[in-house]
């Protein structure tokens, strides 16, 4: 049976169609999920895409966390039963929803950054990273104005100790993220937040590489195995 991966659309989402295409290219069925419906439609996993949910009013992701759909998503994700990938604005929403620790703040340059970016994969045991190998470098796209990951030292030390940093920036820190962190996971390994955009690196014609596709094929391998993710 083909895996069904939901892609949520909020007012202001920009990359939902790109995420759906990446899901399709990986071999799964993308399922459109609307922010105002408290219905996950029985999907096997969910992607929170990039963009500017609710216009980034108040702060990025602060309003989206209260969307009706999130009332269903948050408890399922927190229990470890629902794999969720938050990309860029989706990462911000995961932090605002307290599914992941820390926060995303203005880039240290105070400028929007749009560039091809190399990542080093650190934790390849999660539901969304298991198709990579530890230390592998992948080229994806970074485009954000508030992409600097911050947390207190105790939280950062815990993330390091529990191997919950899934990727770091290589070749210079583009936004001032603490400890070069580009993405993290929760304690179950089913929730992953990533600031760069792997969905823009899935086809040679339109992306800097096809190396972002591994995030989407990883979830298929995880679901097929039927095993719980491990952080």
């Amino acid at each position: 049976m083909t895996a069904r991966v939901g892609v949520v659309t909020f007012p202001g989402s920009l990359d939902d169609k790109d995420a759906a295409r990446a899901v399709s290219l990986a071999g799964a069925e993308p399922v459109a999920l609307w922010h105002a419906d408290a219905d996950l439609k029985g999907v096997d996993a969910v992607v929170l895409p990039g963009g500017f949910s609710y216009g980034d009013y108040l702060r990025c992701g602060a309003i989206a966390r209260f969307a009706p759909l999130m009332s269903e998503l948050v408890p399922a994700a927190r229990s470890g039963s629902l794999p969720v990938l938050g990309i860029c604005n989706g990462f911000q929403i995961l932090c605002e929803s307290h599914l992941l620790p820390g926060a995303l703040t203005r880039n240290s340059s105070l400028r929007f950054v749009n560039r091809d970016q190399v990542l080093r994969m650190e934790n390849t045991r999660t539901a969304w990273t298991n198709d990579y190998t530890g230390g592998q470098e992948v080229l994806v796209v970074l485009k954000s104005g508030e992409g600097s990951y911050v947390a207190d030292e105790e939280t950062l030390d815990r993330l390091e100790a529990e191997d919950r940093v899934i990727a770091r920036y290589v070749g210079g820190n583009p936004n001032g993220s603490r400890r070069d962190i580009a993405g993290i996971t929760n304690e179950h390994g089913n929730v992953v937040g990533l600031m760069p955009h792997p969905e823009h690196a899935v086809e040679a014609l339109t992306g800097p590489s096809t190396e972002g596709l591994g995030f989407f094929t990883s979830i298929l391998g995880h679901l097929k195995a039927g095993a719980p993710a491990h952080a």
Side-chain angles (χ1 to χ4, degrees):
M1 182 178 294
T2 302
R4 301 171 71 247
V5 179
V7 179
V8 182
T9 298
F10 298 96
S13 293
L14 297 180
D15 301 306
D16 46 345
K17 300 301 183 185
D18 302 79
R21 180 162 178 79
V23 167
S24 181
L25 288 171
E29 176 190 350
V31 178
L33 299 177
W34 184 239
H35 70 107
D37 297 332
D39 182 6
L40 291 172
K41 299 183 179 179
V43 296
D44 302 300
V46 173
V47 176
L48 300 177
F52 304 90
S53 59
Y54 297 92
D56 280 350
Y57 289 114
L58 301 183
R59 61 183 178 273
C60 301
I63 298 177
R65 66 168 289 197
F66 295 107
L69 185 77
M70 297 299 290
S71 68
E72 299 293 311
L73 184 148
V74 169
R78 185 170 287 134
S79 72
S81 62
L82 180 70
V84 180
L85 173 64
I87 303 170
C88 196
N89 188 235
F91 188 4
Q92 295 161 343
I93 294 169
L94 291 175
C95 290
E96 288 288 339
S97 301
H98 305 298
L99 287 172
L100 293 175
L104 284 306
T105 63
R106 290 287 302 276
N107 294 341
S108 56
S109 65
L110 302 183
R111 292 183 172 86
F112 190 92
V113 174
N114 186 0
R115 58 185 269 186
D116 296 340
Q117 177 66 50
V118 177
L119 305 179
R120 183 176 65 249
M121 302 304 298
E122 302 280 11
N123 181 336
T124 58
R125 299 185 306 282
T126 78
W128 298 94
T129 61
N130 58 78
D131 247 7
Y132 295 105
T133 57
Q136 181 178 351
E137 295 188 358
V138 300
L139 179 64
V140 294
V141 174
L142 177 68
K143 51 169 194 173
S144 56
E146 290 162 302
S148 178
Y149 180 75
V150 298
D152 60 72
E153 289 298 321
E154 181 180 355
T155 298
L156 292 169
D157 288 343
R158 185 172 70 252
L159 290 173
E160 300 277 12
E162 296 175 359
D163 195 21
R164 288 169 51 190
V165 176
I166 62 111
R168 298 184 201 269
Y169 297 112
V170 175
N173 189 319
N175 50 30
S177 287
R178 298 296 306 276
R179 306 190 188 185
D180 299 331
I181 291 174
I184 61 174
T185 186
N186 68 341
E187 61 273 18
H188 298 299
N190 64 303
V191 177
V192 166
L194 183 71
M195 182 47 55
H197 290 260
E199 78 280 16
H200 295 327
V202 296
E203 294 181 283
L205 179 64
T206 57
S209 76
T210 60
E211 294 166 355
L213 191 61
F215 282 90
F216 303 95
T217 55
S218 287
I219 189 59
L220 268 65
H222 168 75
L223 294 171
K224 184 176 181 180
H230 295 284

